[in-house]
Amino acid sequence: MSALKMAQCGITSSKTVLVFLNLIFWAAAGILCYVGAYVFITYDDYDHFFEDVYTLIPAVIIIAVGALLFIIGLIGCCATVRESYCGLATFVIILLLVFMTEVAVVVLGYIYRAKVENEVNHSINKVYDEYNGTNSNAQSRAIDYVQRQLQCCGIHNYSDWQSTHWYEESKNNSVPISCCKTNTGSCTGSLTHPEDLYQEGCEALVVKKLKEIMMYIIWTALTFASIQMLGMLCACVVLCRRVRDPAYELLITGGTQA
């Protein structure tokens, strides 16, 4: 009877943790989809500075994994409650595949994070040269958005605007209004009042922002990969008990032994 009680205690603990983890998987699915969508939205704001669309591959994978976790959570809960050997085995296999996918996301995240600086350096001068100050121009909208959002001006500083086509054509010795500090209501972008302008250049801040986005993906994937490892471990405990422990078979069939 003592062996039966020990088996019951071990199985109950593993099942409880497993059910709790499946609930976490459902929450994780929502978080992963949110992170992936956040990356897509943010990339759309900075895509002129980073032209490699393959950077979105980790975000696509994250969203796909999030959708799959909803299904995994359902399979895991049903298999755990019913103590289905086939269901638990399927659950472990799918979790293993998702775990491997998230490891790939981490690797890709680090690869694209390393490419950010070179990509931005290569494209940012071209974007500033194509600025014309109109809202219909995509490059102009992108630069004005970045300068306001990141509170920066020019590539390295506000003086970079003096070498752009827009500055030469406007001939008013000023920079775009988006360079003006938010707490300066009378700012017109004039270079005669540089104290009214953001002093920091945008290149370094864009690189920093894009690297932060990649780190969001990397840490999210690592966090949920760790949780999935615990889920696989608990499922394997239940499976191994069922296969190897005779006392567990008695527990399942409701039998007792003195």
Side-chain angles (χ1 to χ4, degrees), residues 170-190:
S170 62
K171 298 178 182 179
N172 58 4
N173 194 36
S174 66
V175 296
I177 300 297
S178 57
C179 281
C180 292
K181 295 178 180 177
T182 53
N183 58 353
T184 309
S186 60
C187 178
T188 60
S190 175

Side-chain angles (χ1 to χ4, degrees), residues 130-185:
E130 293 178 355
Y131 182 91
N132 65 14
T134 63
N135 196 49
S136 59
N137 178 261
Q139 287 78 6
S140 299
R141 291 197 305 271
I143 289 174
D144 286 334
Y145 172 83
V146 166
Q147 291 189 154
R148 290 192 181 98
Q149 192 75 10
L150 302 182
Q151 299 186 348
C152 58
C153 183
I155 298 173
H156 303 102
N157 55 59
Y158 62 84
S159 64
D160 292 327
W161 279 103
Q162 293 176 295
S163 59
T164 62
H165 296 305
W166 175 83
Y167 181 86
E168 293 171 357
E169 292 173 2
S170 62
K171 298 178 182 179
N172 58 4
N173 194 36
S174 66
V175 296
I177 300 297
S178 57
C179 281
C180 292
K181 295 178 180 177
T182 53
N183 58 353
T184 309

